[in-house]
Amino acid sequence: MQSVQFEAPGTVEQAVALLAGATGDARVLAGGTDLLVQLRSHMVDPALVVDIKHIEETRTLVRNADGSYTIGSAVAGAEAHEHDRFAAEWPGVMESWDLIGSTQIQGRASLGGNLCNASPAADSVPAMIAAGMTANIAGPGGRRTVPVEDIPVAPGRTSLANGEFVVSFNLPARPAGGGDAYLRLIPRTEMDIAVVGCGVALVLDAGGIVTSARVSLGAVAPTVLLVEDAARAIVGTRLDDDALAALDAACQAACSPINDKRGTIVYRTQVAGVLARRAARIAAERAGSR
Amino acid sequence: MAKHHVTTTINGEPVEFLCSTRQTLLDVLRDELNLTGSKEGCASGDCGACSVMLDGRLVCSCLVLGAEAEGKSVETIEGMAEGDRLHPLQQNFLEDAALQCGICTPGFLVAAKALLERNPDPTETEVRYWLAGNLCRCTGYDKIIRAVMRTAAEVRGEAS
Amino acid sequence: MARILLTDSLSKQFTGGVADFEVAAPSVRALIRELEERYPGLGAQVRDGFISVAIDGDIHQDAFLEELAENSEVAFLPAIRGG
Amino acid sequence: MTGEKTEFKWVGTRAIRPDGHDKVTGRAKFGSDFALPGMLQGRVLRSPHAHARIRSIDTSAAEALPGVKGVITSADFADQPAELAAAGEALVNYRDMVRNVMAREKVLYDGHAVAAVAATSAEIAEAALELISVDYEVLDHVIDVDLAMEPGAPILDEELEPAGMEASGPTNIAKRVDFDLGDVEEGFAKAEVVLERSYTTAAVHQGYIEPHAAVASVSEDGQAQIWCCTQGQFMVRAYTARLCGMETSQIRVTPSEIGGGFGGKTVVYLEPLATALSRKTGRPVKMIMSREEVFRASGPTSAGSMTYRIGATRNGVITAFEGTIRLEAGAFPGSPVQPACMCAVAPYDIKNVRLTGYDVVVNRPKVAAYRAPGAPISAFGAESIIDELAKELGFDPLQLRLKNAAKQGTKAAYGPTFRRIGYEETVEQAIASEHYSAPLGPNQGRGVASGFWFNIGGESAATVNINEDGTAVVVSGNPDIGGSRASLALMAAEELGIDYTKVRPIIGDTSSVGYNFLTGGSRVTFATGLAVVEAARDAVRQMCERAAKIWEVESDGVIWRDGHAVPASSNVGDFEPLSLADIAAQSPKTGGPICGHNAQNVQGAGPGFATHICDVEVDPETGRVTILRYTAVQDVGRAIHPSYVEGQIQGGAVQGIGWALNEEYIYNERGQLENPGFLDYRIPVASDLPMIETVVVEVPNDRHPYGVRGVGEVPIVPPMAAVANAIENATGVRMEHLPMSPPRLLAALDAARLPEAAE
């Protein structure tokens, strides 16, 4: 256990310089709801903690002129809720964010932290992937933008290079006829880690036919999955029973979970299909209601 | 390494303290400032006994670094009563026996106050979900939920 | 005569399986003396072991000085504590 | 004793608790809130192994770390002979206790303490733990009770001699107990329906929100002071004195406010360590467990495994009940298997019962008492099989219970004949409740179950000091875990005839009040309450004598009425009544201080019974269970403070719901606890529950002046079976293993839906 340097830079450049220049493990502090637990339980022993919440760009959630959103990586769920249109336009993303912990956690937990903690069970990640979100990354080599699904590579590991951190996210404008939803299974009603999570975003045409879809599953593999077969199973359908059964089967086929204290392989696989069916129906209802 | 010198406002009073990076806001409140009303039940954000308001937002003080409190305003259970006048939630927790052992009580009160300030007319379900991050092992929550609902009704001016 | 009820464990250990019998005793203290006489070791166990005594249905934490009525039922049980 | 009064001014009111303001303002001092100048921080090094021999421990590097003031290991505690003492439900053996607070030859569970450090800061103490090197020889371990009983299982203690049975070699079975009533063979011969079933329950933790904490300060002359959160300051004093080789009078233990216990704070963990470290360092030492340590190293209750057989006639008379109950004791003997056997079918009048129990050691933390120790485990199975029997016989489950209900004169399976009890009333009230006949929707079901707990009395001492201004201080010796100060003050106010707010109840330290058995067994309002009532009556007697002196009459010429001394009759004379305040003001002239006192070993706790009704909804696709509605009916004797009586019932029911649905100790293949935190040890949260409706039945206990029975333990006994029975009612699937978590329930539902797939 070593003493830890703490810095709270005001610009992206300063943050990158600190992270890139660190000798030893450097950790980004956004909401802190994972990092502080890891610090306390000695799971991590960093030399440097960089609080990015003093960087304006990480702290703002804006709706752009084209209806897309730019979301700072350190914005807390409770803050997103206070935006006048965000929760109404992307209810699935919002509800996935809302499900991360308690009210108290909501006041702190950020999308950037939830993604970069790289837990396969992270609640917000399937919804972000389903919604087609991308992440804006800053690092010593400059800026780059990558799909959210490309960031986690293994439990606790990301594709971010040394000195890089996620500054913000891009969420596309909600398409006409679009709807999204996130569901998870936990034993209690709150305060648990997802045993299975499923995000679905889809677009319906005027006739109620699914024209495009993205389906993402959490906690059923080492990383959150984008399940393209699942999307294919429902595109071109009216989400009738056969389509939902095909969706269920495609999701189950994509699962490669583990047995652990939170659930079994059999249970996770089976429930992934159940949640996908239910989430798809909710997303379609939301799409149809516009 | 040198400790951080942090300037904050706690329960309306300007407060300065020194802390190491590893010390959480809860550690600082309890060990440095002797504000032991906020309790540590888990140190992992799972029990809510350390709930405080940080710049007007409900947080677990065990999940905030002391150094992060620089320039911020903190409200704890010790600031809830005004002089010798209890907050209506405190009074109703007493009248409705919404506590048994009392260890979770400060956290529940801080969290419930935050709820009523945002939503003066919550449903039972809204109260239960808002308070889901505050664990109580003694009461089964029944009397806590009732006390919060009754306080909300009183504050709205409805007869309870 | 007081009616004495032993648990199976006590009767196996001390009375050769006799679990229900009668003893003339005006008090638990006297009863213990009588039991020790009749079944060596049982009286001492009841006096010093972790035994609760139920007299006519009332469980006593320590019944040493309790008086017994003519037809009292005295049951010896494992000590009861609780959480 | 009862019936002296049926109209009360204070008893039965919902007065504000005397300690309430301190608890809603954050002022109340709990275990970890105490600090002393110069205080060191102590931390414990714990075993990462479930079972290992300790070859050696090297503490030299830790001792050399700047800021470290002392390190202790088992070498700092003298070994103890095997000698039994009472601790909560379990009987502790000092040889085992000294090994549980600090491992000696072996570590016996993941989390077992092996060394402790005191340093100038918590960070330094934690760093020092990493510098202690322990050479372990890792041994095979056994976690499960049934596996531990099998031949060839890893043996925890080669010298263990089982009680109550013969053993052919080394064994993990510490004890066999037998309870017999009537003739079970004859009972089964009379039966027209016989069912046999097996059930298991997981180990669960009491889950108090306040981790264990203690501060100890030993001075140079050997006197020690300890401040700690405990259910019994006298227990802490006795055990610490014994383990640290000190005299009882040298130790003064002051109980802090206690943040929950439920039986889990009826033993010592940190107190002897803090005392030994303080003695070694010459400075006060504070020790606090982390939440992880609480789960890994403080007492859960047993996991259990049981097999039952029940027989009945077609017209619903239960003729025989036979069972074997196997309970895990943890690393050292002392599971609550005896009360488990005694409580299993205690609510019923069954003429032929045979129960056999086994106390079995396994590589888990030593169990501690948990609310009605043993009873919830055995009752889960018993109340489940009775539900199945009702279905088999075509009986309403409550009508079957009523038909077989124990009542006054019933010979209990555990021996004695019941006096007046209130079990039938709880069933009748449940049947009559609006809940029991409310409609149910699809995937919904309703279950019922009953429960029993003995309740206890025990050693109690109290003093009632009359103050010069007409107020009173009540000093007693039981940590107030759920509002007992309020109930004691209500009874004292009733006796003294003064306002409740003029009575200040105080919990004394071990040096300022007579011995009190710990807070447990649902005894405080009953037993300590009785001592308080008697102490108040002693004060009243003294005040009548003082009035007699003032009036210059014989003392038997004065009686106490509504807080005043009055002449017993007009023959005594015509005197203005003297208030308590009048008499108190004149006390210096009439003989000095007025101090009522009582100390006794309270007998005659009345047994408690409850019947619960639970509605659930089951998600057939995920196996998740939602508790829709819950009603708890309980005989409490008399509710002194109805709000806290209801609170005990509600809290107990919810702990039982947690036990039923999601709580469990999960171990990995190396025998390490996988879920030592509130994230994955899933106690119920507010949004998991409906309101818990209570129906308070009052069948007074005639051994208490106000009719009190214990309340706190009975309500945790019925819920697990009530939930299981409701799930069966909703789905047709019988869950025989706890917890009934979503993966387990979905697997059972699938097996029932596709019987061929399950084979």
Side-chain angles (χ1 to χ4, degrees), chain D residues 134-173:
Chain D
V134 184
D135 183 11
Y136 291 109
E137 176 194 345
V138 178
L139 305 170
D140 289 343
H141 66 272
V142 62
I143 295 287
D144 176 85
V145 63
D146 291 318
L147 296 178
M149 292 175 74
E150 281 181 5
I155 296 295
L156 275 74
D157 181 357
E158 300 283 341
E159 290 167 24
L160 182 66
E161 297 263 359
M165 61 179 278
E166 299 292 321
S168 54
T171 176
N172 292 317
I173 301 172

Coordinates of all heavy atoms in Angstrom, one line a residue, chain D residues 134-173:
Chain D
V134 N 2.9 -15.8 7.8 CA 2.4 -17.0 8.5 C 2.7 -18.2 7.6 O 2.4 -18.1 6.4 CB 0.9 -16.9 8.7 CG1 0.4 -18.1 9.4 CG2 0.5 -15.6 9.4
D135 N 3.3 -19.2 8.1 CA 3.6 -20.4 7.4 C 2.5 -21.4 7.6 O 2.4 -21.9 8.7 CB 5.0 -21.0 7.8 CG 5.4 -22.2 7.0 OD1 4.7 -22.5 6.0 OD2 6.3 -22.9 7.4
Y136 N 1.7 -21.6 6.6 CA 0.5 -22.5 6.7 C 0.8 -23.8 6.0 O 1.3 -23.8 4.9 CB -0.7 -21.9 6.0 CG -1.3 -20.6 6.6 CD1 -1.2 -19.4 6.0 CD2 -2.1 -20.7 7.8 CE1 -1.8 -18.3 6.5 CE2 -2.6 -19.6 8.3 CZ -2.5 -18.4 7.7 OH -3.1 -17.3 8.2
E137 N 0.3 -24.9 6.6 CA 0.2 -26.2 5.9 C -1.3 -26.3 5.6 O -2.1 -26.6 6.5 CB 0.7 -27.3 6.8 CG 0.5 -28.7 6.2 CD 0.7 -29.8 7.2 OE1 1.3 -29.5 8.3 OE2 0.3 -30.9 6.9
V138 N -1.6 -26.1 4.4 CA -3.1 -26.1 4.0 C -3.6 -27.6 4.1 O -3.0 -28.5 3.6 CB -3.3 -25.5 2.6 CG1 -4.7 -25.6 2.2 CG2 -2.8 -24.1 2.6
L139 N -4.8 -27.7 4.7 CA -5.4 -29.0 4.9 C -6.7 -29.1 4.1 O -7.3 -28.0 3.8 CB -5.7 -29.2 6.4 CG -4.5 -29.1 7.3 CD1 -5.0 -29.1 8.8 CD2 -3.5 -30.2 7.1
D140 N -7.2 -30.3 3.8 CA -8.5 -30.4 3.2 C -9.5 -29.8 4.1 O -9.4 -29.9 5.4 CB -8.8 -31.9 3.0 CG -7.9 -32.5 1.8 OD1 -7.4 -31.7 1.1 OD2 -7.8 -33.7 1.8
H141 N -10.6 -29.3 3.5 CA -11.6 -28.7 4.4 C -13.0 -29.3 4.0 O -13.1 -29.9 3.0 CB -11.6 -27.2 4.1 CG -12.0 -26.8 2.7 ND1 -11.1 -26.7 1.7 CD2 -13.3 -26.5 2.2 CE1 -11.8 -26.4 0.6 NE2 -13.1 -26.3 0.9
V142 N -13.9 -29.0 4.9 CA -15.3 -29.4 4.7 C -16.2 -28.3 5.1 O -16.1 -27.7 6.2 CB -15.6 -30.8 5.3 CG1 -15.5 -30.7 6.8 CG2 -17.0 -31.3 4.9
I143 N -17.2 -27.9 4.2 CA -18.0 -26.8 4.5 C -19.5 -27.2 4.8 O -20.2 -26.6 5.5 CB -18.0 -25.9 3.2 CG1 -16.7 -25.3 3.0 CG2 -19.1 -24.8 3.3 CD1 -16.3 -24.2 3.9
D144 N -19.8 -28.4 4.2 CA -21.3 -28.8 4.2 C -21.5 -29.8 5.3 O -20.8 -30.7 5.5 CB -21.6 -29.4 2.8 CG -23.0 -29.9 2.8 OD1 -23.9 -29.1 2.5 OD2 -23.2 -31.1 3.0
V145 N -22.6 -29.6 6.0 CA -22.9 -30.4 7.1 C -23.1 -31.9 6.8 O -22.6 -32.8 7.5 CB -24.2 -29.9 7.9 CG1 -25.5 -29.9 7.0 CG2 -24.4 -30.6 9.2
D146 N -23.7 -32.2 5.7 CA -23.9 -33.6 5.4 C -22.6 -34.3 5.0 O -22.3 -35.4 5.3 CB -25.0 -33.7 4.2 CG -26.4 -33.4 4.7 OD1 -26.7 -33.8 5.9 OD2 -27.1 -32.7 4.0
L147 N -21.8 -33.5 4.2 CA -20.5 -34.0 3.8 C -19.6 -34.2 5.1 O -18.8 -35.2 5.2 CB -19.8 -33.1 2.8 CG -20.5 -33.0 1.5 CD1 -19.7 -32.0 0.6 CD2 -20.6 -34.3 0.8
A148 N -19.7 -33.3 6.0 CA -18.8 -33.4 7.2 C -19.1 -34.6 8.1 O -18.3 -35.0 8.8 CB -19.0 -32.1 8.1
M149 N -20.4 -35.1 7.9 CA -20.7 -36.3 8.7 C -20.3 -37.6 8.0 O -20.4 -38.7 8.6 CB -22.3 -36.3 8.9 CG -22.7 -35.2 9.9 SD -24.5 -35.1 10.0 CE -24.8 -36.5 11.1
E150 N -19.9 -37.5 6.8 CA -19.6 -38.7 6.0 C -18.2 -39.3 6.5 O -17.3 -38.6 6.9 CB -19.5 -38.5 4.5 CG -20.9 -38.4 3.9 CD -20.9 -38.1 2.4 OE1 -19.8 -38.1 1.8 OE2 -22.0 -38.0 1.9
P151 N -18.1 -40.6 6.4 CA -16.8 -41.2 6.8 C -15.8 -40.7 5.8 O -16.0 -40.5 4.6 CB -17.0 -42.7 6.5 CG -18.5 -42.9 6.3 CD -19.1 -41.6 6.0
G152 N -14.6 -40.4 6.3 CA -13.5 -39.9 5.4 C -13.5 -38.4 5.2 O -12.6 -37.9 4.5
A153 N -14.4 -37.7 5.9 CA -14.4 -36.3 5.7 C -13.2 -35.7 6.4 O -12.7 -36.3 7.4 CB -15.7 -35.7 6.4
P154 N -12.7 -34.6 6.0 CA -11.6 -33.9 6.7 C -12.1 -33.7 8.1 O -13.2 -33.2 8.4 CB -11.4 -32.6 5.9 CG -12.0 -32.8 4.6 CD -13.1 -33.8 4.8
I155 N -11.2 -33.9 9.1 CA -11.5 -33.8 10.5 C -11.0 -32.5 11.1 O -9.8 -32.2 10.9 CB -11.0 -35.0 11.3 CG1 -11.6 -36.3 10.8 CG2 -11.2 -34.8 12.8 CD1 -13.1 -36.4 11.1
L156 N -11.8 -31.7 11.7 CA -11.4 -30.4 12.2 C -10.6 -30.6 13.5 O -9.6 -29.9 13.7 CB -12.6 -29.5 12.5 CG -13.0 -28.7 11.3 CD1 -13.8 -29.5 10.3 CD2 -13.9 -27.5 11.7
D157 N -11.1 -31.5 14.4 CA -10.5 -31.7 15.7 C -10.4 -33.2 16.0 O -11.3 -33.8 16.3 CB -11.3 -31.0 16.8 CG -10.7 -31.1 18.2 OD1 -9.7 -31.7 18.3 OD2 -11.3 -30.5 19.1
E158 N -9.1 -33.7 15.9 CA -8.9 -35.1 16.1 C -9.3 -35.6 17.5 O -9.6 -36.7 17.7 CB -7.4 -35.5 15.9 CG -6.8 -35.1 14.5 CD -7.3 -36.1 13.5 OE1 -7.7 -37.3 13.8 OE2 -7.2 -35.8 12.3
E159 N -9.4 -34.6 18.4 CA -9.7 -35.0 19.8 C -11.1 -34.9 20.2 O -11.6 -35.1 21.3 CB -8.8 -34.2 20.8 CG -7.4 -34.5 20.7 CD -6.5 -33.5 21.4 OE1 -7.0 -32.8 22.3 OE2 -5.3 -33.4 21.0
L160 N -11.9 -34.5 19.2 CA -13.4 -34.3 19.5 C -14.0 -35.6 19.9 O -14.0 -36.6 19.2 CB -14.1 -33.7 18.2 CG -15.5 -33.4 18.4 CD1 -15.7 -32.2 19.3 CD2 -16.1 -33.0 17.0
E161 N -14.6 -35.5 21.1 CA -15.4 -36.7 21.6 C -16.8 -36.4 21.5 O -17.3 -35.5 22.2 CB -15.0 -36.9 23.1 CG -13.6 -37.3 23.3 CD -13.3 -38.8 23.4 OE1 -14.3 -39.5 23.3 OE2 -12.2 -39.2 23.6
P162 N -17.6 -37.1 20.7 CA -19.0 -36.7 20.5 C -19.8 -37.0 21.8 O -19.5 -38.0 22.4 CB -19.5 -37.5 19.4 CG -18.5 -38.6 19.2 CD -17.2 -38.2 19.8
A163 N -20.7 -36.2 22.2 CA -21.5 -36.4 23.3 C -22.8 -37.1 22.8 O -23.3 -36.8 21.7 CB -21.9 -35.1 24.0
G164 N -23.4 -37.9 23.6 CA -24.7 -38.5 23.3 C -24.6 -39.7 22.3 O -25.6 -40.1 21.8
M165 N -23.4 -40.1 22.0 CA -23.3 -41.2 21.0 C -21.9 -41.8 21.0 O -21.0 -41.2 21.6 CB -23.6 -40.7 19.6 CG -22.6 -39.6 19.1 SD -23.0 -39.1 17.4 CE -22.2 -40.3 16.4
E166 N -21.8 -43.0 20.5 CA -20.5 -43.6 20.3 C -19.9 -43.2 19.0 O -20.6 -43.1 18.0 CB -20.7 -45.2 20.4 CG -21.3 -45.7 21.6 CD -20.4 -45.6 22.8 OE1 -19.2 -45.8 22.6 OE2 -20.9 -45.2 23.9
A167 N -18.6 -43.1 19.0 CA -18.0 -42.8 17.7 C -16.8 -43.8 17.5 O -16.1 -44.1 18.4 CB -17.4 -41.4 17.6
S168 N -16.7 -44.3 16.3 CA -15.7 -45.4 16.0 C -14.4 -44.8 15.7 O -13.4 -45.5 15.6 CB -16.2 -46.3 14.9 OG -16.5 -45.5 13.8
G169 N -14.3 -43.5 15.5 CA -13.0 -42.9 15.2 C -13.2 -41.4 15.2 O -14.2 -40.9 15.7
P170 N -12.2 -40.7 14.7 CA -12.3 -39.2 14.6 C -13.6 -38.8 13.9 O -14.0 -39.5 12.9 CB -11.1 -38.8 13.9 CG -10.1 -39.9 14.0 CD -10.9 -41.1 14.1
T171 N -14.2 -37.8 14.4 CA -15.5 -37.4 13.8 C -15.7 -35.9 13.9 O -15.0 -35.2 14.7 CB -16.7 -38.1 14.5 OG1 -17.9 -37.6 14.0 CG2 -16.7 -37.8 16.0
N172 N -16.6 -35.4 13.0 CA -16.9 -33.9 13.1 C -18.3 -33.8 13.9 O -18.7 -32.7 14.1 CB -17.1 -33.3 11.7 CG -15.7 -33.2 11.0 OD1 -14.7 -32.8 11.6 ND2 -15.7 -33.6 9.8
I173 N -18.8 -34.9 14.3 CA -20.1 -34.8 15.1 C -19.7 -34.5 16.5 O -19.1 -35.3 17.2 CB -20.9 -36.1 14.9 CG1 -21.2 -36.4 13.5 CG2 -22.2 -36.0 15.8 CD1 -21.8 -37.8 13.2

